[in-house]
């Protein structure tokens, strides 16, 4: 669990995406929201948190509720958006508002199978250069080079087979790709939700079904950012501005 900002009860719970870790929020928190108390855990099966099963959205919601003393703004990126929605549905008393950054929710099951198959077939890399190239030519293409290097420094590890890979449990990732195909879960009315859609994500994670559902059920705002999927890394200042507005 990573903490940023003043030593007081959390104002923001920041939830990273699939294959990520809590320190991905460091730049947003320390450079752009230094006055705000942020808690950013590694999800189950990620980073330095437990890699023990079960690997489900529900298990992560149970773990996250133990970190909170009262209502916070929950910020979720990608898979973290799905967890944020489920947390708000199960424990609305802990959620003051939602900020969903290119959330991956209710996705096509065939697509998730293909992604899981690809990861299972090629879960690691020959070396750091290969790992960096995959990100730099993919969804991290518009992230600053120094931010990408920090990701590699903190999250890429040497494996027993002599190759390198992310500090994640591959079996957990297989389970989580399936979780992204779960039906959409909505927060109760009264919890404001802001969704930032990354317009360069192709194919898009934000579906029309999710947008229609949120528009019908809650105080909802849609914002488009001209970036790829890694919203908080590609647009940290703009992301912080959205979060600060949600804090009121």
């Amino acid at each position: 669990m990573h903490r940023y900002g003043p030593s007081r009860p959390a104002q923001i719970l920041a939830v990273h995406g699939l294959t990520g870790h809590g320190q991905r929020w460091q730049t947003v928190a320390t450079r752009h929201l230094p006055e705000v108390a942020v808690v950013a855990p590694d999800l189950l099966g990620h980073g330095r948190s437990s890699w023990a099963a079960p690997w489900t959205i529900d298990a992560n919601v149970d773990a996250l509720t133990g970190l909170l003393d009262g209502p916070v703004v929950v910020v979720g990126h990608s898979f973290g958006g799905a967890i944020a929605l489920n947390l708000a549905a199960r424990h609305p008393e802990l959620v003051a508002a939602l900020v969903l950054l290119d959330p991956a929710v209710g996705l096509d099951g065939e697509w998730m199978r293909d992604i899981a198959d690809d990861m299972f077939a090629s879960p690691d890399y020959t070396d750091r250069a290969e790992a960096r190239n995959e990100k730099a030519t993919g969804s991290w293409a518009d992230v600053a080079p120094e931010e990408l290097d920090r990701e590699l420094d903190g999250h890429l590890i040497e494996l027993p087979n002599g190759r390198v890979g992310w500090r994640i449990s591959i079996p957990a990732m297989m389970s989580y790709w399936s979780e992204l195909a779960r039906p959409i879960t909505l927060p109760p009315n009264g919890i404001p939700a802001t969704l930032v859609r990354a317009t360069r994500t192709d194919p898009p994670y934000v579906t029309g079904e999710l947008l229609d559902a949120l528009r019908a059920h809650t105080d909802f705002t849609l914002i488009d950012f001209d970036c790829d999927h890694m919203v908080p890394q590609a647009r940290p200042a703009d992301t912080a501005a959205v979060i600060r507005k949600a804090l009121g």
Side-chain angles (χ1 to χ4, degrees):
M1 184 172 65
H2 311 279
R3 289 188 177 272
Y4 304 104
S7 297
R8 59 174 181 250
Q11 297 164 270
I12 293 172
L13 171 66
V15 189
H16 65 77
L18 193 51
T19 76
H21 55 104
Q23 285 183 304
R24 282 186 176 174
W25 299 101
Q26 180 175 321
T27 297
V28 170
T30 60
R31 296 186 186 177
H32 303 287
L33 295 168
E35 77 284 6
V36 178
V38 179
V39 59
D42 295 348
L43 294 174
L44 301 175
H46 293 78
R48 294 175 172 84
S49 284
S50 170
W51 288 14
W55 305 303
T56 63
I57 288 174
D58 295 329
N60 279 283
V61 168
D62 289 341
L64 293 174
T65 57
L67 305 180
L68 303 177
D69 300 316
V72 297
V73 173
V74 182
V75 182
H77 172 243
S78 193
F79 176 51
I83 293 174
L85 285 168
N86 279 268
L87 175 61
R90 285 181 50 191
H91 295 283
E93 74 282 0
L94 296 178
V95 181
L98 292 168
V99 176
L100 309 172
L101 304 175
D102 214 31
V105 180
L107 300 181
D108 178 72
E110 295 285 345
W111 181 22
M112 295 302 98
R113 182 202 63 188
D114 291 344
I115 294 176
D117 282 345
D118 289 343
M119 175 176 277
F120 185 75
S122 182
D124 50 31
Y125 309 94
T126 303
D127 53 25
R128 178 186 173 105
E130 184 183 9
R132 192 183 198 285
N133 182 67
E134 182 189 71
K135 285 196 177 295
T137 58
S139 61
W140 289 65
D142 53 357
V143 175
E146 59 271 21
E147 191 75 16
L148 176 52
D149 286 333
R150 193 170 65 80
E151 172 76 5
L152 293 163
D153 291 342
H155 197 42
L156 193 69
I157 59 174
E158 293 185 8
L159 301 174
N161 62 4
R163 293 167 65 84
V164 298
W166 308 116
R167 196 190 302 270
I168 54 174
S169 162
I170 297 300
M173 301 309 107
M174 296 297 102
S175 179
Y176 286 144
W177 291 121
S178 176
E179 289 288 275
L180 293 186
R182 280 174 49 164
I184 295 168
T185 297
L186 294 175
N189 285 324
I191 295 181
T194 301
L195 189 152
V196 175
R197 177 171 55 186
T199 59
R200 297 186 199 172
T201 304
D202 186 26
Y205 286 136
V206 177
T207 65
E209 181 184 5
L210 175 61
L211 294 177
D212 290 344
L214 286 168
R215 288 185 177 113
H217 285 87
T218 192
D219 176 5
F220 177 65
T221 303
L222 173 64
I223 301 172
D224 283 340
F225 278 8
D226 180 23
C227 66
D228 214 317
H229 182 56
M230 302 307 298
V231 174
Q233 286 73 45
R235 301 280 293 272
D238 294 327
T239 297
V242 172
I243 295 170
R244 184 174 283 109
K245 185 173 182 180
L247 283 166

